[in-house]
Amino acid sequence: MSWFQDSLMARRAVAKGEARSEHAITEETQGKYHYVYGAFVEPVLTVDPGAVVSAETHDAFEGAIQTERDMPSEKLNFPYLNPQNGPIYVNGAEKGDCLAVYIKSIVPRGPQPRGTTVLMPEFGGLVPTADTALLTEPLPELVKKLHVDAETGVKWNDRITLPYEPFIGTIGTAPEIEAISSLVPDYYGGNMDLPDVAPGAVIYLPVNTKGAYLYLGDCHAAQGDGELCGVAVEHPTVTTVQIDLIKGWTIKTPRLENESFYMTVGSSRPMEDAARGAYRELIRWLAKDFGFEELDAYMLLTQCGRIRLGNMVDPKYTVGASILKSIAGTPR
Amino acid sequence: MSWFQDSLMARRAVAKGEARSEHAITEETQGKYHYVYGAFVEPVLTVDPGAVVSAETHDAFEGAIQTERDMPSEKLNFPYLNPQNGPIYVNGAEKGDCLAVYIKSIVPRGPQPRGTTVLMPEFGGLVPTADTALLTEPLPELVKKLHVDAETGVKWNDRITLPYEPFIGTIGTAPEIEAISSLVPDYYGGNMDLPDVAPGAVIYLPVNTKGAYLYLGDCHAAQGDGELCGVAVEHPTVTTVQIDLIKGWTIKTPRLENESFYMTVGSSRPMEDAARGAYRELIRWLAKDFGFEELDAYMLLTQCGRIRLGNMVDPKYTVGASILKSIAGTPR
Amino acid sequence: MSWFQDSLMARRAVAKGEARSEHAITEETQGKYHYVYGAFVEPVLTVDPGAVVSAETHDAFEGAIQTERDMPSEKLNFPYLNPQNGPIYVNGAEKGDCLAVYIKSIVPRGPQPRGTTVLMPEFGGLVPTADTALLTEPLPELVKKLHVDAETGVKWNDRITLPYEPFIGTIGTAPEIEAISSLVPDYYGGNMDLPDVAPGAVIYLPVNTKGAYLYLGDCHAAQGDGELCGVAVEHPTVTTVQIDLIKGWTIKTPRLENESFYMTVGSSRPMEDAARGAYRELIRWLAKDFGFEELDAYMLLTQCGRIRLGNMVDPKYTVGASILKSIAGTPR
Amino acid sequence: MSWFQDSLMARRAVAKGEARSEHAITEETQGKYHYVYGAFVEPVLTVDPGAVVSAETHDAFEGAIQTERDMPSEKLNFPYLNPQNGPIYVNGAEKGDCLAVYIKSIVPRGPQPRGTTVLMPEFGGLVPTADTALLTEPLPELVKKLHVDAETGVKWNDRITLPYEPFIGTIGTAPEIEAISSLVPDYYGGNMDLPDVAPGAVIYLPVNTKGAYLYLGDCHAAQGDGELCGVAVEHPTVTTVQIDLIKGWTIKTPRLENESFYMTVGSSRPMEDAARGAYRELIRWLAKDFGFEELDAYMLLTQCGRIRLGNMVDPKYTVGASILKSIAGTPR
């Protein structure tokens, strides 16, 4: 994959983007999954930069929704939702560094129908929630179990089959002193639900504390922009990532690179603030590493910037702002 | 163009999507351009459904920014901005009907450099404005004049040339009793700055008052998602549209159709409200015309809906929500 | 009323805050009430500064809700809502001036029960609306007719009687080129629903066009902060105001003065933007007229500024920011 | 204080609102102050319901800003800000219970000038921040040290002295599984910056985990609505509270009671969501405990609800919604 040889990960990271060791986190070795992003627990795995790690991820409900008669309000136990693999301790990582995570593959696992989407009370983009607190009655609860196959796709009904376009819904590092619910996206990553965090991409995450404490989970088989009802096609997977470390590259919020574009990620409310945060970081990136003057980058992105809406349902909304590599040019 | 034969415009409209007459609005016949959307002025043209109209549009500054030394704060006279062609009175159009406007072509006109983008005080997505009113000092004013050519694109600098991807920034019908600035997008269309309103698309607009009073202007040669600094590559054009009328199809907000997808458009603040409005209308459209149950459409769009950010700089933010035609199926 | 002698109206206005003529606008002389703020209609009255005008206002429903069985969705005809008296043409008023309107009295009129509040579909602070567009079912429609009396108050039920605390819900000048629904609040005033616009206060309004074109209506007998369900205790009144003109005092948004405080008014979405707008104008006012340095005023308001939420239900939300006169000191 | 005998704390709590033991947390016994709300640390004190606890609080900067030449960007070490006393473990408290905290007194301590307010980069209501991320240059840093005295007030300058109106800026219980920065307000309390959390009031807090883990700190000598620049008059104090426990009263978000009113507290973004949350909880409280029908409470609050803006600067904005006790009546 030639573009990867030229990626920031390959060019700047300690292990030069090379795969140097292999590791697996199975359900068994993971043991207890985690529901917060923090450094208060023992790492499940300690690795050097260059580690390739395959993790058996659960779906966001930890498998509790098995049939279309399993009502979320009965089967789920808030806040024990969105179980995460990890944390993975990365040797050498210190506050102010950047973790580079190359997503190698996502493979569905488990018996069919292995995909799940639901309507839950007080959750979703078009219903009252704890935040957007209205008085109207909730929608009925609904569960839809879906046949998910990497080759044939996600079968919605007899007429509609969606392509299998998997990505990691939740990935990030530990905050420095906090432990925050895996339902939340923020500066350290977390529950961004951004479809670009997909096989073939490198995500760059701020290191906030010694060892970085990488978590991941919540893989989606398909998702539209905004994850409208709050629940994508959730499914268990084997997800394989390659972890590297860029010393001394201090970034405030997640960034992403794939064959086509560079992206910055903002998570905030209201949604315009997420978009502002993402675009401002992209401007500053272009100014710092690509030779643009800041105001020229501001005007240029006005003409060619792209916005991807990750989620409009989580405690913070997530937006990715990107520029084509062909326009951005080559970073220094 | 085979998909057009199957469009809602071709299937439902009075003139069956056929071009039945030709008209031109030149700078001369337009005379005074307009800065509000309303029915308080005399139509510049009256047509029957099936009319093809070519309009000489001005750029958003009515040509006042001629060189990079023309400072916006000196040359522009708020609120006399964003000049519009029209209004075009459409015979037979009544409140509750829908105007279908097929965008046939946009051709740049005028001497080079005919493209203009600027940084203006109190305007743009990343500076304090009258709405997001902060205390920090404004950015410097800046003007960039650009060579714009339909074949060779938009020349940004010696290294970067953007493709010419023109669209209509501002188009809509008159409100029933109001006359609203052409800087505003809302339920009747207006300043949506949505790049999908491009040649090859049909935009559907609510008719709010007898004759519809169609306005259009503000064509952009290129624009990124959100129109970040508030000013795309503005340029004067000859824009050609075909106007038709769907009797009795009452829509609340603009909709759009092209070869690939169906889209609904929401304009509101904060941005999540624009996204909610667009998605809700799309769900209702799928339920009404495509045979979906409402909650199934809600869950399906969660997996495959697409969001396009039009503007994040105007008095209301504009978002388009869309679904691929291959998934939506055929409307009744 | 000694403070009034010292008000900005008394000190700066053309008629020195003196009552120099008396006028009445009755239902009969008003004739057609208005549903937009604009300069496209003939003034109902032309006055000189110093005019005292008594206007027979309708309630926001123009009296269409007479009993608790009159359902809003049947009786009301959107957008013909919130009828306004006026416009009043003020001789000598020009763009860039300021209209000073002293509210002398509000007296309820009409047969009992003369107060009305309702729950309407798609309207209110805690239900889905055209802006905050959710999928949940609307609340039931409800009408409550209330006995309103200036002496005894507003009788809610056998146990609860609220004090009669009337104010003008909607008041403002015409925009320069627009005609905007009387349901909207903005820089020119309009449907602010701010309880401080009450007898004993002076409201200062920007003049945007020759003659100012003052409108008013929508008086409330009682209202909580935010006008939560969207409908206060609406009632018909005789409202008496004294109109004066401050030449050359250019303000961007409404300001208000009463015995206790100076206030600026912001209308925007999201609500923080309304608060930002109000506070920024207050800081600038303190800096310009009261001798504060801007950053000192910013820090001082942090310790003593007061926020009054007008509405959280209209197309823009309205917030008043104020400072006690005892702290602000005397304007130059 | 007769109203207190009738408070929900006195009527429902385990210790009947009686003071049954006395405790002190000095700087020495506190040792390390805390910067997160969570249950990951050892309690500094364990008490039974009825405990009166006096705590030596630090100011929000832990005393690091001693003179007007101490620049925040040099002296402060994010995220080690807003130090908290506690946690206090309350015997018998379990998830689903409610902690009642009666604020008995706040007494300033430490050498003069003991009050501090500052302007910091990327922090405050009218400047770009990490959330509202704009491109404009930050304001200059500024420090203002203030003489604060319980009798004579807060001396701003030679002309202006503000009354000493102290309250607890940050107070709350531990989340169930999270540890969240003390800069954040949320459902468990935290950095609400709500001036009603003052001596004479009872605040009710949800218990999320065994022992409740009460934290408090960040006392303000004076603060306006919204804490506009982000920093009130911060000062060190001895703050005395009485802690009681209401078994089985499950509340989702903080509530408050004083002599005059009942209040619910919402923290969210955008600000309208904070207001919605607060008002919805107040409606539900009126419906559950005061005998109102929900829709009647909705309409009644429209006429008499009061909104207090706590902060418009923290990661979530805080709003209190209240109703006068004279209108609400007596809870069951």
Side-chain angles (χ1 to χ4, degrees):
Chain A
M1 191 171 290
S2 62
W3 77 266
F4 180 73
Q5 304 309 322
D6 223 36
S7 69
L8 289 163
M9 179 169 171
R11 289 167 49 188
R12 294 186 181 177
V14 169
K16 302 185 195 318
E18 294 165 11
R20 295 184 175 175
S21 64
E22 294 202 0
H23 312 262
I25 302 174
T26 62
E27 285 194 39
E28 201 169 17
T29 58
Q30 175 67 47
K32 193 170 151 350
Y33 284 67
H34 295 289
Y35 311 97
V36 294
Y37 274 62
F40 293 87
V41 293
E42 284 303 304
V44 68
L45 183 69
T46 296
V47 301
D48 288 321
V52 174
V53 180
S54 289
E56 290 184 353
T57 70
H58 274 307
D59 72 22
F61 307 121
E62 213 157 344
I65 309 289
Q66 302 241 350
T67 79
E68 298 194 347
R69 291 176 306 281
D70 290 337
M71 284 301 98
S73 59
E74 289 166 15
K75 293 290 180 180
L76 304 180
N77 182 22
F78 182 86
Y80 301 93
L81 291 174
N82 202 10
Q84 300 292 301
N85 290 86
I88 301 169
Y89 187 100
V90 181
N91 288 320
E94 292 170 298
K95 182 178 176 179
D97 294 341
C98 170
L99 211 63
V101 182
Y102 175 46
I103 303 163
K104 293 181 80 85
S105 64
I106 297 176
V107 178
R109 67 184 183 99
Q112 298 283 10
R114 55 168 73 119
T116 309
T117 186
V118 311
L119 296 187
M120 292 191 288
E122 295 267 315
F123 192 65
L126 297 185
V127 298
T129 66
D131 281 298
T132 304
L134 307 187
L135 283 177
T136 48
E137 290 295 315
L139 298 179
E141 287 189 77
L142 262 183
V143 172
K144 195 164 174 112
K145 294 291 292 184
L146 297 153
H147 190 98
V148 171
D149 185 279
E151 303 302 316
T152 59
V154 177
K155 185 173 176 182
W156 189 261
N157 59 28
D158 287 348
R159 185 175 69 74
I160 300 171
T161 297
L162 305 172
Y164 182 67
E165 295 178 331
F167 68 95
I168 304 175
T170 310
I171 185 170
T173 55
E176 183 171 357
I177 60 172
E178 296 180 288
I180 297 180
S181 165
S182 54
L183 297 170
V184 176
D186 210 332
Y187 64 93
Y188 54 85
N191 192 21
M192 297 175 286
D193 293 318
L194 185 67
D196 299 304
V197 186
V202 180
I203 184 162
Y204 300 100
L205 297 163
V207 177
N208 308 296
T209 192
K210 195 165 191 279
Y213 285 76
L214 178 70
Y215 293 85
L216 64 83
D218 183 30
C219 291
H220 296 169
Q223 187 200 294
D225 296 342
E227 202 188 12
L228 186 60
C229 82
V231 184
V233 179
E234 313 290 335
H235 73 319
T237 75
V238 177
T239 292
T240 302
V241 299
Q242 179 177 323
I243 301 167
D244 215 328
L245 178 67
I246 304 179
K247 293 296 295 179
W249 191 31
T250 303
I251 58 178
K252 291 187 175 174
T253 44
R255 297 181 180 181
L256 186 142
E257 172 181 11
N258 64 19
E259 185 167 4
S260 304
F261 56 74
Y262 297 104
M263 177 179 271
T264 48
V265 183
S267 293
S268 190
R269 283 195 181 201
M271 197 187 288
E272 56 264 36
D273 273 355
R276 285 167 176 153
Y279 261 136
R280 184 171 77 170
E281 280 306 295
L282 188 53
I283 289 169
R284 290 180 170 174
W285 194 6
L286 291 171
K288 181 144 191 220
D289 285 0
F290 293 79
F292 285 87
E293 291 190 36
E294 191 167 288
L295 297 186
D296 191 56
Y298 181 33
M299 293 173 95
L300 176 61
L301 286 173
T302 304
Q303 319 313 337
C304 69
R306 290 290 169 255
I307 286 292
R308 182 75 180 263
L309 177 61
N311 90 78
M312 55 183 280
V313 294
D314 297 327
K316 298 191 176 192
Y317 305 135
T318 298
V319 164
S322 63
I323 184 170
L324 290 176
K325 286 184 165 183
S326 57
I327 300 174
T330 307
R332 289 189 278 234
Chain B
M1 191 170 287
S2 63
W3 77 266
F4 181 72
Q5 305 308 322
D6 223 35
S7 69
L8 289 163
M9 179 169 170
R11 289 167 50 189
R12 294 187 181 176
V14 168
K16 303 183 197 315
E18 294 164 11
R20 294 185 175 174
S21 63
E22 295 201 0
H23 312 262
I25 303 175
T26 62
E27 285 194 40
E28 200 168 17
T29 59
Q30 176 66 48
K32 194 172 153 347
Y33 285 66
H34 296 289
Y35 311 97
V36 294
Y37 274 62
F40 294 87
V41 293
E42 285 302 305
V44 68
L45 182 69
T46 296
V47 301
D48 287 320
V52 175
V53 179
S54 290
E56 290 184 352
T57 70
H58 274 307
D59 71 23
F61 307 121
E62 214 158 343
I65 310 288
Q66 301 241 352
T67 80
E68 298 194 347
R69 290 175 308 280
D70 289 337
M71 285 301 98
S73 60
E74 289 166 15
K75 292 291 181 178
L76 304 180
N77 181 22
F78 182 85
Y80 301 94
L81 291 174
N82 203 9
Q84 301 292 301
N85 291 85
I88 301 169
Y89 188 99
V90 181
N91 288 320
E94 292 169 300
K95 182 178 178 179
D97 294 341
C98 169
L99 211 64
V101 182
Y102 175 48
I103 303 162
K104 293 180 80 84
S105 65
I106 298 178
V107 178
R109 66 185 182 99
Q112 298 283 9
R114 53 169 76 120
T116 309
T117 185
V118 311
L119 296 188
M120 291 192 288
E122 295 266 313
F123 192 63
L126 297 184
V127 298
T129 65
D131 280 298
T132 303
L134 306 187
L135 282 178
T136 47
E137 290 295 315
L139 298 178
E141 288 189 77
L142 264 182
V143 172
K144 196 165 173 108
K145 294 292 293 185
L146 298 152
H147 189 100
V148 171
D149 183 279
E151 303 303 315
T152 60
V154 176
K155 185 173 177 182
W156 190 262
N157 59 29
D158 286 348
R159 186 176 68 75
I160 300 171
T161 297
L162 305 172
Y164 182 68
E165 296 178 329
F167 68 95
I168 304 176
T170 310
I171 183 170
T173 54
E176 184 172 355
I177 60 173
E178 295 179 290
I180 297 180
S181 164
S182 55
L183 297 170
V184 176
D186 210 331
Y187 64 92
Y188 54 83
N191 192 19
M192 298 176 285
D193 292 319
L194 186 68
D196 299 304
V197 186
V202 180
I203 186 163
Y204 300 100
L205 297 163
V207 177
N208 308 294
T209 192
K210 194 164 191 281
Y213 286 75
L214 178 70
Y215 293 85
L216 63 84
D218 183 30
C219 291
H220 296 169
Q223 188 201 295
D225 296 341
E227 201 188 13
L228 187 59
C229 81
V231 183
V233 179
E234 314 290 336
H235 73 320
T237 74
V238 176
T239 292
T240 303
V241 299
Q242 179 176 325
I243 300 167
D244 214 328
L245 177 68
I246 304 180
K247 293 296 295 178
W249 191 31
T250 304
I251 58 177
K252 290 186 174 176
T253 43
R255 297 182 180 180
L256 185 141
E257 172 181 11
N258 63 21
E259 185 166 5
S260 304
F261 57 73
Y262 297 105
M263 177 179 271
T264 48
V265 183
S267 294
S268 191
R269 284 195 179 201
M271 199 188 286
E272 56 265 37
D273 273 355
R276 286 168 175 152
Y279 261 137
R280 183 170 78 170
E281 281 305 295
L282 188 53
I283 289 169
R284 290 181 169 171
W285 193 6
L286 290 172
K288 181 144 191 223
D289 285 0
F290 293 80
F292 286 87
E293 291 191 35
E294 190 167 288
L295 296 185
D296 190 57
Y298 181 34
M299 294 172 94
L300 176 61
L301 286 173
T302 303
Q303 318 314 336
C304 70
R306 292 288 169 256
I307 285 292
R308 182 76 180 262
L309 178 59
N311 90 77
M312 55 184 280
V313 293
D314 296 328
K316 299 191 175 193
Y317 304 136
T318 298
V319 164
S322 63
I323 185 170
L324 291 176
K325 287 185 163 180
S326 58
I327 300 174
T330 307
R332 289 189 279 235
Chain C
M1 191 171 288
S2 62
W3 78 266
F4 181 72
Q5 304 309 323
D6 223 37
S7 69
L8 289 163
M9 179 168 170
R11 289 167 48 188
R12 293 187 181 176
V14 169
K16 303 185 196 318
E18 295 164 11
R20 295 185 175 174
S21 63
E22 295 202 359
H23 312 262
I25 303 175
T26 63
E27 285 194 39
E28 200 168 18
T29 58
Q30 176 67 47
K32 194 169 150 354
Y33 284 67
H34 296 289
Y35 311 97
V36 293
Y37 275 61
F40 293 85
V41 293
E42 284 303 304
V44 68
L45 182 70
T46 297
V47 301
D48 288 320
V52 175
V53 179
S54 290
E56 289 184 353
T57 70
H58 272 308
D59 71 23
F61 306 121
E62 213 157 345
I65 309 288
Q66 302 241 348
T67 80
E68 297 194 349
R69 291 176 307 281
D70 289 338
M71 285 300 98
S73 59
E74 289 166 15
K75 293 291 180 178
L76 304 181
N77 182 23
F78 182 86
Y80 300 94
L81 292 174
N82 202 10
Q84 301 292 302
N85 290 85
I88 300 169
Y89 188 99
V90 181
N91 288 321
E94 292 169 298
K95 183 179 176 178
D97 295 340
C98 170
L99 211 63
V101 181
Y102 174 47
I103 303 163
K104 293 181 79 86
S105 65
I106 299 178
V107 178
R109 66 185 183 99
Q112 298 284 9
R114 55 169 74 119
T116 309
T117 185
V118 311
L119 296 187
M120 291 191 288
E122 295 267 313
F123 192 64
L126 297 184
V127 298
T129 65
D131 281 297
T132 304
L134 306 187
L135 282 176
T136 48
E137 290 295 316
L139 298 178
E141 288 190 76
L142 263 182
V143 173
K144 196 164 173 112
K145 294 291 293 185
L146 298 152
H147 190 99
V148 170
D149 183 279
E151 303 301 318
T152 60
V154 177
K155 186 173 176 182
W156 190 260
N157 60 28
D158 286 348
R159 185 175 69 73
I160 300 171
T161 296
L162 304 172
Y164 181 68
E165 296 178 330
F167 68 96
I168 303 176
T170 310
I171 184 170
T173 55
E176 184 171 356
I177 61 173
E178 296 180 289
I180 297 181
S181 164
S182 55
L183 296 170
V184 176
D186 210 331
Y187 64 92
Y188 54 83
N191 191 19
M192 298 176 284
D193 292 319
L194 186 68
D196 299 304
V197 186
V202 180
I203 185 163
Y204 300 99
L205 297 163
V207 177
N208 309 295
T209 193
K210 193 164 193 278
Y213 285 76
L214 178 70
Y215 293 85
L216 63 85
D218 184 30
C219 291
H220 296 169
Q223 188 200 293
D225 296 341
E227 200 188 16
L228 187 59
C229 82
V231 183
V233 179
E234 313 289 336
H235 74 319
T237 74
V238 177
T239 292
T240 303
V241 299
Q242 180 176 323
I243 300 167
D244 214 328
L245 177 67
I246 304 179
K247 293 296 294 180
W249 191 31
T250 304
I251 58 178
K252 291 186 175 177
T253 43
R255 298 181 180 180
L256 184 141
E257 171 181 13
N258 63 20
E259 184 166 6
S260 303
F261 57 73
Y262 298 103
M263 177 179 270
T264 48
V265 183
S267 294
S268 190
R269 283 196 180 201
M271 198 188 287
E272 56 264 35
D273 273 355
R276 285 167 176 153
Y279 261 137
R280 183 171 79 170
E281 280 306 295
L282 188 53
I283 289 169
R284 290 181 169 173
W285 193 6
L286 290 172
K288 181 143 192 221
D289 286 0
F290 293 80
F292 286 86
E293 291 190 35
E294 191 168 287
L295 296 185
D296 190 56
Y298 181 33
M299 294 173 94
L300 176 62
L301 286 173
T302 303
Q303 318 314 336
C304 70
R306 293 287 169 256
I307 286 292
R308 182 76 180 262
L309 178 60
N311 90 77
M312 56 182 281
V313 293
D314 296 328
K316 300 191 175 193
Y317 305 136
T318 298
V319 164
S322 63
I323 184 169
L324 290 177
K325 288 186 164 180
S326 57
I327 300 175
T330 307
R332 288 188 279 236
Chain D
M1 192 171 287
S2 63
W3 78 266
F4 181 71
Q5 304 309 321
D6 223 36
S7 70
L8 289 163
M9 179 169 171
R11 289 167 50 187
R12 293 186 182 178
V14 169
K16 303 185 197 317
E18 295 165 11
R20 295 184 175 174
S21 64
E22 295 201 359
H23 311 262
I25 303 174
T26 62
E27 285 193 40
E28 201 168 18
T29 59
Q30 176 66 49
K32 193 171 152 351
Y33 283 67
H34 296 290
Y35 310 97
V36 293
Y37 275 63
F40 293 86
V41 293
E42 285 303 303
V44 68
L45 182 69
T46 297
V47 300
D48 288 320
V52 174
V53 180
S54 289
E56 290 184 354
T57 69
H58 273 307
D59 71 23
F61 306 121
E62 213 158 344
I65 308 289
Q66 302 241 349
T67 79
E68 298 193 348
R69 290 175 307 282
D70 289 338
M71 285 301 99
S73 60
E74 290 166 14
K75 294 290 180 178
L76 304 180
N77 182 22
F78 182 86
Y80 301 94
L81 291 174
N82 203 8
Q84 300 292 302
N85 291 85
I88 301 169
Y89 187 100
V90 181
N91 288 320
E94 292 169 298
K95 182 178 176 179
D97 294 341
C98 171
L99 211 63
V101 182
Y102 175 47
I103 303 162
K104 292 180 80 83
S105 65
I106 298 177
V107 178
R109 66 185 184 99
Q112 298 284 9
R114 53 169 73 118
T116 309
T117 185
V118 311
L119 296 187
M120 291 191 289
E122 294 267 313
F123 192 64
L126 297 185
V127 297
T129 66
D131 281 297
T132 303
L134 306 187
L135 282 177
T136 47
E137 290 295 316
L139 298 178
E141 288 190 77
L142 262 184
V143 172
K144 196 165 173 112
K145 294 292 293 184
L146 298 152
H147 190 98
V148 171
D149 184 279
E151 304 302 316
T152 59
V154 176
K155 185 174 175 182
W156 190 261
N157 59 28
D158 286 348
R159 185 175 69 74
I160 300 172
T161 296
L162 305 172
Y164 182 66
E165 295 177 331
F167 69 96
I168 304 176
T170 310
I171 184 170
T173 54
E176 184 172 356
I177 61 173
E178 295 180 289
I180 297 180
S181 165
S182 55
L183 296 170
V184 176
D186 210 330
Y187 64 92
Y188 55 84
N191 192 20
M192 297 175 286
D193 293 319
L194 186 67
D196 298 304
V197 187
V202 180
I203 184 163
Y204 300 99
L205 297 163
V207 177
N208 309 296
T209 193
K210 195 165 192 277
Y213 285 76
L214 179 69
Y215 293 85
L216 63 84
D218 184 30
C219 292
H220 296 169
Q223 187 200 295
D225 296 341
E227 200 187 14
L228 186 59
C229 81
V231 183
V233 179
E234 313 290 335
H235 73 321
T237 73
V238 178
T239 292
T240 303
V241 299
Q242 180 176 324
I243 301 167
D244 215 328
L245 178 66
I246 304 179
K247 294 295 295 179
W249 191 32
T250 304
I251 58 177
K252 291 186 173 175
T253 42
R255 296 181 181 182
L256 185 142
E257 172 181 10
N258 64 19
E259 184 167 5
S260 303
F261 56 73
Y262 297 104
M263 177 179 272
T264 48
V265 183
S267 293
S268 190
R269 283 194 181 202
M271 197 187 286
E272 55 265 36
D273 273 355
R276 285 167 176 152
Y279 261 137
R280 184 171 77 169
E281 281 304 295
L282 188 53
I283 289 169
R284 289 180 170 174
W285 193 5
L286 291 172
K288 183 143 189 222
D289 286 0
F290 293 80
F292 285 86
E293 291 190 35
E294 191 167 288
L295 296 186
D296 190 56
Y298 181 34
M299 294 172 95
L300 175 61
L301 286 173
T302 304
Q303 318 314 335
C304 69
R306 291 288 168 256
I307 286 292
R308 182 74 180 264
L309 177 61
N311 90 77
M312 55 183 281
V313 293
D314 297 327
K316 299 191 176 195
Y317 305 136
T318 298
V319 164
S322 63
I323 184 170
L324 290 176
K325 287 185 163 181
S326 58
I327 300 174
T330 308
R332 290 189 277 235

